[in-house]
Amino acid sequence: MEGSLKELAGYRLERAKEMLSAAESNLEIGQYKTSLNRSYYAVFHAMRSANALKEYDSSKHSGVIAYFTKEYLKTEILDRGLAVIIKDSSLCREKSDYDDFYVAGKVEAEEQFKNAKYFVQKIEDYINIVNR
């Protein structure tokens, strides 16, 4: 595999991990809406990381999600169950970012963080296997 694609995937994976760290920090200080946002972006950057290995990116979130789903989940390269994490984290982020009166709770933020951490780990495992 071309070195620059590996580097790009690695860079995007590090961004995903940064978002995870931020989600956890926000969770700890009770900033649940921000934690939901960061958990989503951890998932998003992890998808972009995997997509980089196939030389794909999109300026639209829907494009990143659609390509990842088509190339990795529908082909069962990765567990199709990851689609639930993508959908849930996306919905939570949209509610917390755009619904003026949405109240984010601790339990929801904890669950989204846990799911994002799992998602990022699955992508990291896959990238490590491919990059051997």
mmCIF file of all heavy atoms in Angstrom, residues 15-17 19-20 23 37-47 116-117 119-120:
data_model
loop_
_atom_site.group_PDB
_atom_site.id
_atom_site.type_symbol
_atom_site.label_atom_id
_atom_site.label_comp_id
_atom_site.label_asym_id
_atom_site.label_seq_id
_atom_site.Cartn_x
_atom_site.Cartn_y
_atom_site.Cartn_z
ATOM 1 N N ARG A 15 -6.742 12.021 14.735
ATOM 2 C CA ARG A 15 -7.795 13.029 14.942
ATOM 3 C C ARG A 15 -8.987 12.395 15.639
ATOM 4 O O ARG A 15 -9.598 12.998 16.520
ATOM 5 C CB ARG A 15 -8.225 13.655 13.622
ATOM 6 C CG ARG A 15 -7.158 14.598 13.094
ATOM 7 C CD ARG A 15 -7.652 15.621 12.135
ATOM 8 N NE ARG A 15 -8.666 16.502 12.680
ATOM 9 C CZ ARG A 15 -9.523 17.185 11.922
ATOM 10 N NH1 ARG A 15 -9.476 17.077 10.612
ATOM 11 N NH2 ARG A 15 -10.408 17.979 12.453
ATOM 12 N N ALA A 16 -9.331 11.170 15.245
ATOM 13 C CA ALA A 16 -10.435 10.462 15.893
ATOM 14 C C ALA A 16 -10.142 10.270 17.379
ATOM 15 O O ALA A 16 -11.011 10.479 18.232
ATOM 16 C CB ALA A 16 -10.670 9.110 15.207
ATOM 17 N N LYS A 17 -8.912 9.900 17.687
ATOM 18 C CA LYS A 17 -8.526 9.693 19.087
ATOM 19 C C LYS A 17 -8.541 11.008 19.869
ATOM 20 O O LYS A 17 -8.899 11.030 21.053
ATOM 21 C CB LYS A 17 -7.157 9.038 19.165
ATOM 22 C CG LYS A 17 -7.164 7.594 18.702
ATOM 23 C CD LYS A 17 -5.760 7.033 18.758
ATOM 24 C CE LYS A 17 -5.682 5.619 18.267
ATOM 25 N NZ LYS A 17 -4.307 5.096 18.317
ATOM 26 N N MET A 19 -10.579 13.456 19.289
ATOM 27 C CA MET A 19 -11.997 13.722 19.527
ATOM 28 C C MET A 19 -12.516 12.857 20.682
ATOM 29 O O MET A 19 -13.309 13.326 21.499
ATOM 30 C CB MET A 19 -12.822 13.461 18.265
ATOM 31 C CG MET A 19 -12.527 14.383 17.094
ATOM 32 S SD MET A 19 -12.903 16.119 17.418
ATOM 33 C CE MET A 19 -11.233 16.763 17.543
ATOM 34 N N LEU A 20 -12.057 11.625 20.753
ATOM 35 C CA LEU A 20 -12.435 10.744 21.871
ATOM 36 C C LEU A 20 -11.978 11.328 23.202
ATOM 37 O O LEU A 20 -12.727 11.341 24.179
ATOM 38 C CB LEU A 20 -11.788 9.370 21.712
ATOM 39 C CG LEU A 20 -12.552 8.278 21.019
ATOM 40 C CD1 LEU A 20 -11.749 6.989 21.031
ATOM 41 C CD2 LEU A 20 -13.912 8.059 21.631
ATOM 42 N N ALA A 23 -14.157 14.199 24.039
ATOM 43 C CA ALA A 23 -15.481 13.726 24.470
ATOM 44 C C ALA A 23 -15.438 13.284 25.932
ATOM 45 O O ALA A 23 -16.339 13.598 26.715
ATOM 46 C CB ALA A 23 -15.952 12.579 23.577
ATOM 47 N N ASN A 37 -21.110 15.782 20.678
ATOM 48 C CA ASN A 37 -20.520 16.292 19.446
ATOM 49 C C ASN A 37 -19.159 15.651 19.187
ATOM 50 O O ASN A 37 -18.869 15.169 18.090
ATOM 51 C CB ASN A 37 -20.404 17.819 19.536
ATOM 52 C CG ASN A 37 -19.724 18.429 18.346
ATOM 53 O OD1 ASN A 37 -18.500 18.325 18.207
ATOM 54 N ND2 ASN A 37 -20.481 19.088 17.488
ATOM 55 N N ARG A 38 -18.315 15.641 20.198
ATOM 56 C CA ARG A 38 -16.963 15.091 20.048
ATOM 57 C C ARG A 38 -16.991 13.575 19.808
ATOM 58 O O ARG A 38 -16.180 13.057 19.044
ATOM 59 C CB ARG A 38 -16.103 15.406 21.272
ATOM 60 C CG ARG A 38 -15.887 16.911 21.537
ATOM 61 C CD ARG A 38 -15.094 17.616 20.466
ATOM 62 N NE ARG A 38 -15.938 18.092 19.378
ATOM 63 C CZ ARG A 38 -15.507 18.694 18.281
ATOM 64 N NH1 ARG A 38 -14.232 18.902 18.097
ATOM 65 N NH2 ARG A 38 -16.341 19.089 17.354
ATOM 66 N N SER A 39 -17.935 12.873 20.439
ATOM 67 C CA SER A 39 -18.064 11.431 20.194
ATOM 68 C C SER A 39 -18.410 11.173 18.736
ATOM 69 O O SER A 39 -17.840 10.282 18.097
ATOM 70 C CB SER A 39 -19.131 10.816 21.106
ATOM 71 O OG SER A 39 -18.688 10.777 22.436
ATOM 72 N N TYR A 40 -19.332 11.966 18.207
ATOM 73 C CA TYR A 40 -19.676 11.820 16.788
ATOM 74 C C TYR A 40 -18.450 12.062 15.912
ATOM 75 O O TYR A 40 -18.191 11.302 14.971
ATOM 76 C CB TYR A 40 -20.796 12.780 16.372
ATOM 77 C CG TYR A 40 -20.900 12.870 14.863
ATOM 78 C CD1 TYR A 40 -21.507 11.847 14.131
ATOM 79 C CD2 TYR A 40 -20.345 13.933 14.165
ATOM 80 C CE1 TYR A 40 -21.562 11.890 12.747
ATOM 81 C CE2 TYR A 40 -20.395 13.987 12.783
ATOM 82 C CZ TYR A 40 -21.005 12.964 12.081
ATOM 83 O OH TYR A 40 -21.037 13.016 10.706
ATOM 84 N N TYR A 41 -17.712 13.126 16.200
ATOM 85 C CA TYR A 41 -16.557 13.436 15.357
ATOM 86 C C TYR A 41 -15.451 12.390 15.478
ATOM 87 O O TYR A 41 -14.689 12.183 14.538
ATOM 88 C CB TYR A 41 -16.048 14.854 15.613
ATOM 89 C CG TYR A 41 -16.833 15.840 14.779
ATOM 90 C CD1 TYR A 41 -17.866 16.583 15.325
ATOM 91 C CD2 TYR A 41 -16.584 15.967 13.416
ATOM 92 C CE1 TYR A 41 -18.615 17.450 14.548
ATOM 93 C CE2 TYR A 41 -17.330 16.835 12.639
ATOM 94 C CZ TYR A 41 -18.340 17.571 13.207
ATOM 95 O OH TYR A 41 -19.086 18.411 12.421
ATOM 96 N N ALA A 42 -15.384 11.697 16.590
ATOM 97 C CA ALA A 42 -14.446 10.569 16.702
ATOM 98 C C ALA A 42 -14.837 9.483 15.703
ATOM 99 O O ALA A 42 -13.987 8.956 14.975
ATOM 100 C CB ALA A 42 -14.443 10.013 18.129
ATOM 101 N N VAL A 43 -16.112 9.170 15.639
ATOM 102 C CA VAL A 43 -16.622 8.179 14.686
ATOM 103 C C VAL A 43 -16.395 8.671 13.258
ATOM 104 O O VAL A 43 -15.916 7.923 12.389
ATOM 105 C CB VAL A 43 -18.128 7.898 14.946
ATOM 106 C CG1 VAL A 43 -18.745 7.080 13.825
ATOM 107 C CG2 VAL A 43 -18.309 7.212 16.294
ATOM 108 N N PHE A 44 -16.709 9.925 13.013
ATOM 109 C CA PHE A 44 -16.569 10.515 11.677
ATOM 110 C C PHE A 44 -15.116 10.449 11.179
ATOM 111 O O PHE A 44 -14.850 10.003 10.060
ATOM 112 C CB PHE A 44 -17.062 11.975 11.720
ATOM 113 C CG PHE A 44 -16.903 12.707 10.423
ATOM 114 C CD1 PHE A 44 -17.732 12.426 9.347
ATOM 115 C CD2 PHE A 44 -15.932 13.687 10.292
ATOM 116 C CE1 PHE A 44 -17.589 13.119 8.148
ATOM 117 C CE2 PHE A 44 -15.786 14.376 9.095
ATOM 118 C CZ PHE A 44 -16.617 14.091 8.020
ATOM 119 N N HIS A 45 -14.180 10.860 12.014
ATOM 120 C CA HIS A 45 -12.769 10.843 11.590
ATOM 121 C C HIS A 45 -12.240 9.414 11.458
ATOM 122 O O HIS A 45 -11.375 9.153 10.618
ATOM 123 C CB HIS A 45 -11.905 11.680 12.524
ATOM 124 C CG HIS A 45 -12.124 13.142 12.343
ATOM 125 N ND1 HIS A 45 -11.842 13.794 11.158
ATOM 126 C CD2 HIS A 45 -12.611 14.086 13.179
ATOM 127 C CE1 HIS A 45 -12.152 15.075 11.278
ATOM 128 N NE2 HIS A 45 -12.627 15.274 12.489
ATOM 129 N N ALA A 46 -12.776 8.493 12.247
ATOM 130 C CA ALA A 46 -12.395 7.086 12.091
ATOM 131 C C ALA A 46 -12.865 6.568 10.729
ATOM 132 O O ALA A 46 -12.121 5.861 10.036
ATOM 133 C CB ALA A 46 -12.972 6.251 13.227
ATOM 134 N N MET A 47 -14.081 6.937 10.333
ATOM 135 C CA MET A 47 -14.566 6.545 9.002
ATOM 136 C C MET A 47 -13.689 7.146 7.911
ATOM 137 O O MET A 47 -13.333 6.464 6.942
ATOM 138 C CB MET A 47 -16.023 7.000 8.799
ATOM 139 C CG MET A 47 -17.037 6.184 9.528
ATOM 140 S SD MET A 47 -18.737 6.632 9.090
ATOM 141 C CE MET A 47 -18.908 8.222 9.885
ATOM 142 N N ALA A 116 -18.393 5.296 20.661
ATOM 143 C CA ALA A 116 -17.370 5.920 19.816
ATOM 144 C C ALA A 116 -16.004 5.288 20.077
ATOM 145 O O ALA A 116 -15.236 5.017 19.143
ATOM 146 C CB ALA A 116 -17.317 7.424 20.071
ATOM 147 N N LYS A 117 -15.712 5.023 21.339
ATOM 148 C CA LYS A 117 -14.441 4.388 21.695
ATOM 149 C C LYS A 117 -14.336 3.003 21.043
ATOM 150 O O LYS A 117 -13.295 2.644 20.491
ATOM 151 C CB LYS A 117 -14.352 4.288 23.221
ATOM 152 C CG LYS A 117 -13.013 3.881 23.749
ATOM 153 C CD LYS A 117 -13.002 3.987 25.275
ATOM 154 C CE LYS A 117 -11.654 3.621 25.821
ATOM 155 N NZ LYS A 117 -11.592 3.750 27.282
ATOM 156 N N PHE A 119 -15.966 1.988 18.344
ATOM 157 C CA PHE A 119 -15.889 2.200 16.898
ATOM 158 C C PHE A 119 -14.458 2.532 16.475
ATOM 159 O O PHE A 119 -13.924 1.933 15.540
ATOM 160 C CB PHE A 119 -16.843 3.328 16.492
ATOM 161 C CG PHE A 119 -17.027 3.478 15.013
ATOM 162 C CD1 PHE A 119 -18.124 2.897 14.387
ATOM 163 C CD2 PHE A 119 -16.138 4.208 14.244
ATOM 164 C CE1 PHE A 119 -18.313 3.031 13.017
ATOM 165 C CE2 PHE A 119 -16.314 4.339 12.879
ATOM 166 C CZ PHE A 119 -17.403 3.752 12.260
ATOM 167 N N VAL A 120 -13.852 3.479 17.158
ATOM 168 C CA VAL A 120 -12.478 3.893 16.822
ATOM 169 C C VAL A 120 -11.527 2.710 16.987
ATOM 170 O O VAL A 120 -10.642 2.495 16.153
ATOM 171 C CB VAL A 120 -12.036 5.106 17.672
ATOM 172 C CG1 VAL A 120 -10.543 5.390 17.505
ATOM 173 C CG2 VAL A 120 -12.861 6.334 17.300
#
